[in-house]
């Protein structure tokens, strides 16, 4: 059953969802438009970045509608209508977008085909397993069950962090000096923004419940998703544009006209 | 609680919102279509200009729907239905679009990559801080609280004006003679249209309340948004088109066919 909220709590969440829809939609169109501006080999990274924000736009649209249907405003309070707020859209979203986010990061590095395939497969699978293992905990009310699945999902998470910082060290050192700092920062954005999710997962297990915690979690998820997907996607764009410029300058070739 | 309005007051606001939807939508499509006509380096500016009006279109759509749901017409009057009119969409919109508007202005100047990044980051952050500082005042009914946040938000606003007129003086002096006046005018459009917002913010603090003031504010916001976003975006397009012509003429290259 959904919690009773004050109108302000309800409204902040509502506006955070709407903000996320606008941010994801705008980022998607920007990435698709500007995809024509980068070198051939980075077009795939921008296509995937734009798809991640498009998938997120779709899910936030559904989440927004579900939130509106779950509450009715009466006398300054937001009362549950009985139609449950569907939070599971998030897991469905993550199952698609989280592996793709890691693939974006691999693609922007411009590794060899074989290495790209190997790293993208390994990181993509780890990300999918992480999301799948988190789900049984998310839908459980029992603290013990939640801790168990949280712990299991943390194994692939830690493995991903290890791959990003140890497995990809060589690939990052091989980046042109002009973008090495940007690629390394993209990796940090991933790790820092993703850390938000397992922390929030613990909130109900450590007594952070009630309307304020509940609405703070929804706003927090929205902000984390905007950083991890839209802001990260724009960062990937900046790297692709910068690397394309460098490569066009070196080859003496003309930049594409459209 | 929303105010009771006369049918005329209600209807003028309703039509102003619908006008804004049409203006933003048309500008978006024009900018995206004409993006193919300008030189490589100005495509980013037109992509962002079109996104600003698209984001505004989205929010005005939601504002329009919220206005319709907030009132019911009875006996020649517009009576509140109890579903509150959500004005917060404006702040959510500004948080995204106001930094982007300044970035448009920087991009159209055609500065070096490093300078573009430095100026876009500084102005974008100042703009976001300005919007964030305005919000707590906007949702407060207390005149003292409103003045406090108004004053705090004015600090980044004045700083932005300073950056536009002093920080960018050199960049504007370096523009080709044929477009220098246009770029300078774009800066003036920004400052003049943006000044509308802090003035309207003060209305309730100086006793301008009631149905007439309330509906005048909504119409005023719509007009300011059309000037600051759609008209400004078209202005940016004119500058991009003119600069592209000059650069194509100088390089002897053909203009792209599409």
């Amino acid at each position: 059953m959904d919690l009773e909220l004050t109108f302000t709590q309800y409204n902040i969440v509502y506006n955070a969802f709407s903000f996320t829809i606008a941010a994801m939609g705008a980022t998607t169109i920007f990435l698709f438009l500007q995809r024509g501006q980068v070198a051939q080999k980075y077009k795939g990274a921008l296509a995937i970045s734009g798809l991640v924000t498009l998938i997120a736009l779709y899910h936030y649209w559904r989440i927004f509608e579900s939130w509106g249907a779950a509450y009715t405003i009466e006398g300054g309070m937001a009362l549950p209508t009985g139609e449950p707020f569907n939070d599971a859209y998030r897991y469905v979203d993550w199952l698609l977008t989280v592996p793709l986010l890691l693939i974006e990061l691999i693609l922007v590095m411009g590794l060899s085909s074989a290495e790209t395939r190997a790293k993208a497969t390994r990181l993509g699978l780890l990300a999918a397993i992480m999301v799948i293992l988190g789900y049984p905990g998310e839908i459980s009310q029992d603290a013990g069950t939640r801790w168990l699945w949280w712990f299991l999902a943390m194994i692939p998470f830690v493995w991903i962090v290890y791959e990003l910082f140890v497995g990809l060290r060589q690939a990052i050192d091989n980046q042109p000096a002009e973008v090495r700092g940007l690629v390394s920062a993209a990796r940090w954005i991933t790790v820092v923004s993703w850390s938000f999710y397992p922390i929030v997962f613990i909130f109900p297990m450590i007594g952070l419940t009630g309307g304020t915690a509940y609405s703070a979690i929804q706003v927090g998820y929205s902000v984390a998703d905007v950083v991890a997907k839209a802001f990260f996607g724009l960062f990937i764009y900046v790297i692709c544009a910068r690397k394309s410029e460098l490569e066009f300058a070196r080859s003496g070739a003309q930049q594409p006209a459209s």
Side-chain angles (χ1 to χ4, degrees), chain A:
Chain A
M1 192 54 179
D2 292 322
L3 284 168
E4 195 176 306
L5 301 176
T6 67
F7 177 66
T8 305
Q9 288 168 346
Y10 167 81
N11 214 32
I12 286 174
V13 172
Y14 187 92
N15 289 320
F17 290 161
S18 183
F19 170 82
T20 308
I21 288 172
M24 295 297 183
T27 306
T28 303
I29 294 172
F30 180 81
L31 293 170
F32 286 170
L33 282 176
Q34 292 299 98
R35 180 172 161 277
Q37 308 308 108
V38 301
Q40 184 69 17
K41 64 202 256 205
Y42 301 119
K43 289 190 200 292
L46 292 194
I48 291 178
S49 302
L51 287 174
V52 164
T53 48
L54 184 62
I55 295 167
L57 165 70
Y58 166 76
H59 286 114
Y60 268 91
W61 196 278
R62 292 237 180 258
I63 288 171
F64 180 88
E65 294 294 321
S66 174
W67 184 253
Y71 287 97
T72 179
I73 310 301
E74 261 173 53
M77 294 295 288
L79 309 176
T81 55
E83 199 170 315
F85 172 56
N86 185 3
D87 216 356
Y89 287 126
R90 296 195 182 285
Y91 277 82
V92 181
D93 180 84
W94 295 336
L95 193 55
L96 289 165
T97 56
V98 171
L100 290 176
L101 284 167
L102 293 176
I103 293 171
E104 276 176 45
L105 188 59
I106 302 296
L107 287 178
V108 88
M109 291 187 183
L111 308 174
S112 73
S113 290
E115 227 180 333
T116 299
R117 214 154 33 223
K119 298 229 181 268
T121 308
R122 186 186 308 164
L123 283 168
L125 278 178
L126 283 171
I129 292 168
M130 172 178 78
V131 173
I132 291 168
L133 289 174
Y135 186 67
E138 180 66 48
I139 57 169
S140 167
Q141 308 294 324
D142 174 56
T145 312
R146 285 183 73 92
W147 276 115
L148 170 70
W149 293 104
W150 179 86
F151 183 78
L152 292 175
M154 282 307 278
I155 299 170
F157 182 67
V158 171
W159 191 345
I160 289 169
V161 174
Y162 172 83
E163 288 287 336
L164 290 181
F165 283 90
V166 181
L168 289 174
R169 189 190 302 156
Q170 192 58 49
I172 290 179
D173 287 346
N174 291 344
Q175 296 295 305
E178 294 89 338
V179 296
R180 202 176 296 138
L182 290 172
V183 176
S184 170
R187 186 177 55 166
W188 275 103
I189 294 173
T190 303
V191 173
V192 172
S193 64
W194 289 22
S195 298
F196 180 81
Y197 305 94
I199 293 171
V200 165
F201 190 97
I202 295 174
F203 275 19
M205 291 114 89
I206 55 172
L208 279 167
T209 52
T212 304
Y214 185 67
S215 46
I217 287 172
Q218 295 300 331
V219 173
Y221 272 143
S222 305
V223 173
D225 278 340
V226 168
V227 173
K229 296 182 172 110
F231 184 72
F232 180 77
L234 295 175
F235 215 84
I236 292 290
Y237 164 72
V238 171
I239 295 170
C240 291
R242 196 84 190 84
K243 288 182 90 170
S244 300
E245 257 177 50
L246 292 171
E247 287 165 28
F248 289 132
R250 258 167 223 161
S251 72
Q254 278 277 297
Q255 240 170 307
S258 70

